[in-house]
Amino acid sequence: MSEREVLELLRENARYETADIARMTDLDEDEVADAIEALEAAGIVRGYQAVVDWDRLEDERVRAEVELNVTLDRETGYDDIAERLARFPQVKALRLISGDYDFDMEVEGDSIREVSRFISEKVAPVPEITQTVTHYVMASYKENGIELGDGEDDDRLSVSP
């Protein structure tokens, strides 16, 4: 049995029933249920979430990608900084990355002012953070592998990657 197959199907659609996954993997339902339980117990599956197209709701959410540069010292490492930042409910994702900056942080709030205030009052004052660059999300076209939008055909010519 491949736990990887079960994981991929859960990522595709977390609402699949165990019977659906069993049919798609040629496993029996008990094996699928045991695999899911084991993945959850091991902390591999951390939760299940809906992919939301915020542009279709009237109460709009403001989202931003924030680049963070940090300076480390002998007592403080990347994990320490990440642990401190991840505690804030406004932080939806936080990743240590390679390149021109150290962390990529996704933030959400009810307004640009709220997001800006959070970054200036809670994030920027962290002693190890030397620079923040905030990019506000103007539109989302794909989230967690799912295309967003109205689904209507576009008359423009398509461009292949």
Side-chain angles (χ1 to χ4, degrees), residues 119-140:
I119 293 163
S120 66
E121 294 177 3
K122 301 294 184 186
V123 177
V126 173
E128 296 81 10
I129 294 177
T130 58
Q131 181 183 21
T132 66
V133 178
T134 303
H135 304 274
Y136 289 95
V137 176
M138 305 300 286
S140 290

mmCIF file of all heavy atoms in Angstrom, residues 119-140:
data_model
loop_
_atom_site.group_PDB
_atom_site.id
_atom_site.type_symbol
_atom_site.label_atom_id
_atom_site.label_comp_id
_atom_site.label_asym_id
_atom_site.label_seq_id
_atom_site.Cartn_x
_atom_site.Cartn_y
_atom_site.Cartn_z
ATOM 1 N N ILE A 119 2.439 44.627 10.485
ATOM 2 C CA ILE A 119 3.839 44.499 10.074
ATOM 3 C C ILE A 119 4.708 45.537 10.786
ATOM 4 O O ILE A 119 5.784 45.204 11.299
ATOM 5 C CB ILE A 119 3.963 44.608 8.537
ATOM 6 C CG1 ILE A 119 3.281 43.385 7.904
ATOM 7 C CG2 ILE A 119 5.428 44.682 8.103
ATOM 8 C CD1 ILE A 119 2.969 43.530 6.446
ATOM 9 N N SER A 120 4.232 46.779 10.861
ATOM 10 C CA SER A 120 5.054 47.834 11.471
ATOM 11 C C SER A 120 5.129 47.736 12.992
ATOM 12 O O SER A 120 6.147 48.105 13.576
ATOM 13 C CB SER A 120 4.548 49.215 11.055
ATOM 14 O OG SER A 120 3.262 49.467 11.568
ATOM 15 N N GLU A 121 4.067 47.234 13.639
ATOM 16 C CA GLU A 121 4.049 47.211 15.102
ATOM 17 C C GLU A 121 4.440 45.865 15.720
ATOM 18 O O GLU A 121 4.882 45.813 16.865
ATOM 19 C CB GLU A 121 2.669 47.620 15.610
ATOM 20 C CG GLU A 121 2.326 49.062 15.301
ATOM 21 C CD GLU A 121 0.935 49.453 15.746
ATOM 22 O OE1 GLU A 121 0.219 48.625 16.359
ATOM 23 O OE2 GLU A 121 0.549 50.605 15.456
ATOM 24 N N LYS A 122 4.265 44.775 14.981
ATOM 25 C CA LYS A 122 4.541 43.446 15.544
ATOM 26 C C LYS A 122 5.718 42.740 14.890
ATOM 27 O O LYS A 122 6.451 42.020 15.546
ATOM 28 C CB LYS A 122 3.294 42.546 15.423
ATOM 29 C CG LYS A 122 2.069 43.080 16.108
ATOM 30 C CD LYS A 122 2.245 43.136 17.599
ATOM 31 C CE LYS A 122 0.944 43.584 18.257
ATOM 32 N NZ LYS A 122 1.097 43.783 19.685
ATOM 33 N N VAL A 123 5.877 42.906 13.576
ATOM 34 C CA VAL A 123 6.924 42.170 12.856
ATOM 35 C C VAL A 123 8.234 42.960 12.811
ATOM 36 O O VAL A 123 9.276 42.474 13.236
ATOM 37 C CB VAL A 123 6.455 41.801 11.427
ATOM 38 C CG1 VAL A 123 7.566 41.111 10.651
ATOM 39 C CG2 VAL A 123 5.220 40.898 11.494
ATOM 40 N N ALA A 124 8.179 44.180 12.294
ATOM 41 C CA ALA A 124 9.402 44.979 12.128
ATOM 42 C C ALA A 124 10.175 45.195 13.429
ATOM 43 O O ALA A 124 11.413 45.200 13.401
ATOM 44 C CB ALA A 124 9.067 46.307 11.458
ATOM 45 N N PRO A 125 9.516 45.342 14.582
ATOM 46 C CA PRO A 125 10.277 45.549 15.826
ATOM 47 C C PRO A 125 11.031 44.314 16.349
ATOM 48 O O PRO A 125 11.829 44.445 17.271
ATOM 49 C CB PRO A 125 9.211 45.976 16.843
ATOM 50 C CG PRO A 125 8.074 46.475 16.032
ATOM 51 C CD PRO A 125 8.089 45.643 14.780
ATOM 52 N N VAL A 126 10.787 43.137 15.790
ATOM 53 C CA VAL A 126 11.536 41.953 16.228
ATOM 54 C C VAL A 126 13.014 42.255 15.995
ATOM 55 O O VAL A 126 13.416 42.596 14.879
ATOM 56 C CB VAL A 126 11.079 40.687 15.464
ATOM 57 C CG1 VAL A 126 11.970 39.502 15.786
ATOM 58 C CG2 VAL A 126 9.614 40.374 15.787
ATOM 59 N N PRO A 127 13.840 42.173 17.039
ATOM 60 C CA PRO A 127 15.231 42.642 16.945
ATOM 61 C C PRO A 127 16.048 42.031 15.803
ATOM 62 O O PRO A 127 16.870 42.727 15.203
ATOM 63 C CB PRO A 127 15.837 42.248 18.293
ATOM 64 C CG PRO A 127 14.683 42.079 19.208
ATOM 65 C CD PRO A 127 13.514 41.669 18.365
ATOM 66 N N GLU A 128 15.815 40.785 15.468
ATOM 67 C CA GLU A 128 16.606 40.125 14.428
ATOM 68 C C GLU A 128 16.167 40.490 13.009
ATOM 69 O O GLU A 128 16.879 40.227 12.053
ATOM 70 C CB GLU A 128 16.543 38.599 14.601
ATOM 71 C CG GLU A 128 17.161 38.082 15.877
ATOM 72 C CD GLU A 128 16.254 38.189 17.101
ATOM 73 O OE1 GLU A 128 15.050 38.493 16.952
ATOM 74 O OE2 GLU A 128 16.756 37.985 18.218
ATOM 75 N N ILE A 129 14.984 41.071 12.867
ATOM 76 C CA ILE A 129 14.476 41.436 11.543
ATOM 77 C C ILE A 129 15.086 42.774 11.137
ATOM 78 O O ILE A 129 14.909 43.785 11.812
ATOM 79 C CB ILE A 129 12.935 41.473 11.516
ATOM 80 C CG1 ILE A 129 12.401 40.061 11.740
ATOM 81 C CG2 ILE A 129 12.430 42.045 10.188
ATOM 82 C CD1 ILE A 129 10.905 39.943 11.814
ATOM 83 N N THR A 130 15.813 42.755 10.017
ATOM 84 C CA THR A 130 16.512 43.948 9.552
ATOM 85 C C THR A 130 15.775 44.667 8.430
ATOM 86 O O THR A 130 16.031 45.836 8.181
ATOM 87 C CB THR A 130 17.927 43.592 9.067
ATOM 88 O OG1 THR A 130 17.832 42.628 8.018
ATOM 89 C CG2 THR A 130 18.767 43.027 10.213
ATOM 90 N N GLN A 131 14.871 43.966 7.734
ATOM 91 C CA GLN A 131 14.153 44.598 6.623
ATOM 92 C C GLN A 131 12.873 43.830 6.334
ATOM 93 O O GLN A 131 12.843 42.600 6.402
ATOM 94 C CB GLN A 131 15.031 44.602 5.372
ATOM 95 C CG GLN A 131 14.376 45.252 4.178
ATOM 96 C CD GLN A 131 15.255 45.181 2.936
ATOM 97 O OE1 GLN A 131 16.146 44.346 2.838
ATOM 98 N NE2 GLN A 131 15.001 46.066 1.987
ATOM 99 N N THR A 132 11.821 44.577 6.019
ATOM 100 C CA THR A 132 10.575 43.981 5.531
ATOM 101 C C THR A 132 10.204 44.656 4.217
ATOM 102 O O THR A 132 10.393 45.853 4.056
ATOM 103 C CB THR A 132 9.403 44.159 6.526
ATOM 104 O OG1 THR A 132 9.082 45.545 6.627
ATOM 105 C CG2 THR A 132 9.735 43.600 7.904
ATOM 106 N N VAL A 133 9.704 43.865 3.289
ATOM 107 C CA VAL A 133 9.168 44.393 2.025
ATOM 108 C C VAL A 133 7.804 43.735 1.848
ATOM 109 O O VAL A 133 7.711 42.508 1.800
ATOM 110 C CB VAL A 133 10.086 44.073 0.826
ATOM 111 C CG1 VAL A 133 9.465 44.594 -0.462
ATOM 112 C CG2 VAL A 133 11.480 44.646 1.041
ATOM 113 N N THR A 134 6.768 44.556 1.758
ATOM 114 C CA THR A 134 5.397 44.051 1.690
ATOM 115 C C THR A 134 4.848 44.187 0.275
ATOM 116 O O THR A 134 4.931 45.252 -0.332
ATOM 117 C CB THR A 134 4.500 44.831 2.672
ATOM 118 O OG1 THR A 134 5.055 44.719 3.985
ATOM 119 C CG2 THR A 134 3.085 44.275 2.670
ATOM 120 N N HIS A 135 4.287 43.091 -0.215
ATOM 121 C CA HIS A 135 3.641 43.064 -1.527
ATOM 122 C C HIS A 135 2.178 42.681 -1.295
ATOM 123 O O HIS A 135 1.902 41.564 -0.849
ATOM 124 C CB HIS A 135 4.286 42.017 -2.444
ATOM 125 C CG HIS A 135 5.759 42.195 -2.614
ATOM 126 N ND1 HIS A 135 6.304 43.018 -3.560
ATOM 127 C CD2 HIS A 135 6.794 41.646 -1.942
ATOM 128 C CE1 HIS A 135 7.617 42.966 -3.476
ATOM 129 N NE2 HIS A 135 7.944 42.144 -2.502
ATOM 130 N N TYR A 136 1.255 43.604 -1.582
ATOM 131 C CA TYR A 136 -0.164 43.308 -1.412
ATOM 132 C C TYR A 136 -0.668 42.510 -2.609
ATOM 133 O O TYR A 136 -0.336 42.806 -3.753
ATOM 134 C CB TYR A 136 -0.979 44.591 -1.225
ATOM 135 C CG TYR A 136 -0.711 45.208 0.117
ATOM 136 C CD1 TYR A 136 0.231 46.210 0.279
ATOM 137 C CD2 TYR A 136 -1.364 44.727 1.244
ATOM 138 C CE1 TYR A 136 0.501 46.748 1.519
ATOM 139 C CE2 TYR A 136 -1.105 45.258 2.497
ATOM 140 C CZ TYR A 136 -0.167 46.266 2.632
ATOM 141 O OH TYR A 136 0.107 46.777 3.869
ATOM 142 N N VAL A 137 -1.462 41.489 -2.339
ATOM 143 C CA VAL A 137 -2.013 40.634 -3.389
ATOM 144 C C VAL A 137 -3.154 41.388 -4.060
ATOM 145 O O VAL A 137 -4.115 41.781 -3.394
ATOM 146 C CB VAL A 137 -2.507 39.282 -2.806
ATOM 147 C CG1 VAL A 137 -3.176 38.448 -3.887
ATOM 148 C CG2 VAL A 137 -1.360 38.532 -2.148
ATOM 149 N N MET A 138 -3.030 41.563 -5.351
ATOM 150 C CA MET A 138 -4.056 42.281 -6.121
ATOM 151 C C MET A 138 -5.145 41.326 -6.612
ATOM 152 O O MET A 138 -6.313 41.678 -6.654
ATOM 153 C CB MET A 138 -3.408 42.990 -7.313
ATOM 154 C CG MET A 138 -2.268 43.922 -6.924
ATOM 155 S SD MET A 138 -2.781 45.235 -5.824
ATOM 156 C CE MET A 138 -3.668 46.264 -6.945
ATOM 157 N N ALA A 139 -4.753 40.128 -7.032
ATOM 158 C CA ALA A 139 -5.698 39.117 -7.511
ATOM 159 C C ALA A 139 -5.034 37.761 -7.371
ATOM 160 O O ALA A 139 -3.816 37.647 -7.440
ATOM 161 C CB ALA A 139 -6.074 39.370 -8.967
ATOM 162 N N SER A 140 -5.841 36.733 -7.157
ATOM 163 C CA SER A 140 -5.337 35.361 -7.094
ATOM 164 C C SER A 140 -5.937 34.570 -8.242
ATOM 165 O O SER A 140 -7.147 34.622 -8.474
ATOM 166 C CB SER A 140 -5.728 34.692 -5.773
ATOM 167 O OG SER A 140 -5.009 35.264 -4.714
#
